[in-house]
Amino acid sequence: MSGPTTLLGFDVGAKRIGVAVGNTLSNSARELGVLDVRAAGPDWERLDRWLKEWRPDLLVVGDPATLDGEDQPARQRARGFARSLAKRYGLPVQQVDERRSSVEAAQRFAAGRAAGARKRHQADQLDALAAAIILERWLAEPDSRRPTDADPTP
């Protein structure tokens, strides 16, 4: 991809999906919020609004492989979500290793609380912070990027 690119990043969980926005111009990412996941799937209407607002060029989904790189139910859920994104929006979707992103998000959140920048009631935003970390990895580590089997681009 050439030129500034707007990205949406996702940290896929069983009950919530953290969402962040980033771009290649500033090489930065920030939290947007979380999507609730119900029996029928994620809150697509809210995601539709974010896509309309941010008009991303690429979607990045965290790949929760185990520490030894093996599959697990969370990884299958993330891959399924990546396929759904590609089908629904027709945008390129890539995955990036998200191992330890939740741990890093918790550490950043705790540091923010200690500095007075975060409040306890904002803990539900940990998933969005993990999504921002996923985008930061995508931006900082090009070798970690991998297209998904759902990527509609050649």
Side-chain angles (χ1 to χ4, degrees):
M1 269 177 214
S2 61
T5 300
T6 301
L7 317 160
L8 284 187
F10 302 91
D11 177 49
V12 179
K15 297 180 181 182
R16 286 183 305 276
I17 298 172
V19 184
V21 62
N23 70 69
T24 58
L25 185 62
S26 66
N27 247 11
S28 65
R30 70 174 182 86
E31 308 151 46
L32 274 184
V34 293
L35 299 172
D36 290 325
V37 177
R38 301 178 193 99
D43 184 351
W44 290 113
E45 291 175 8
R46 186 169 192 192
L47 185 54
D48 291 344
R49 288 191 301 272
W50 278 334
L51 264 85
K52 186 175 182 180
E53 178 181 353
W54 292 99
R55 295 183 293 168
D57 304 293
L58 177 74
L59 307 174
V60 179
V61 177
D63 180 12
T66 62
L67 291 177
D68 59 0
E70 296 297 315
D71 241 358
Q72 62 176 326
R75 192 176 202 193
Q76 294 166 4
R77 189 171 34 254
R79 287 181 174 170
F81 181 70
R83 285 189 296 274
S84 294
L85 286 174
K87 183 177 180 182
R88 185 176 182 99
Y89 300 111
L91 292 169
V93 179
Q94 291 188 359
Q95 289 198 269
V96 67
D97 187 344
E98 75 162 50
R99 286 179 278 193
R100 300 191 44 77
S101 63
S102 294
V103 171
E104 186 176 338
Q107 290 170 339
R108 286 189 191 184
F109 186 82
R113 283 203 60 214
R118 298 225 186 230
K119 305 288 184 213
R120 181 177 302 172
H121 72 275
Q122 295 172 316
D124 63 341
Q125 294 298 307
L126 274 172
D127 296 308
L129 183 52
I133 291 166
I134 287 166
L135 279 183
E136 288 170 359
R137 285 192 187 155
W138 186 93
L139 289 162
E141 302 169 18
D143 292 342
S144 70
R145 303 172 187 173
R146 24 186 195 272
T148 65
D149 56 358
D151 193 342
T153 60

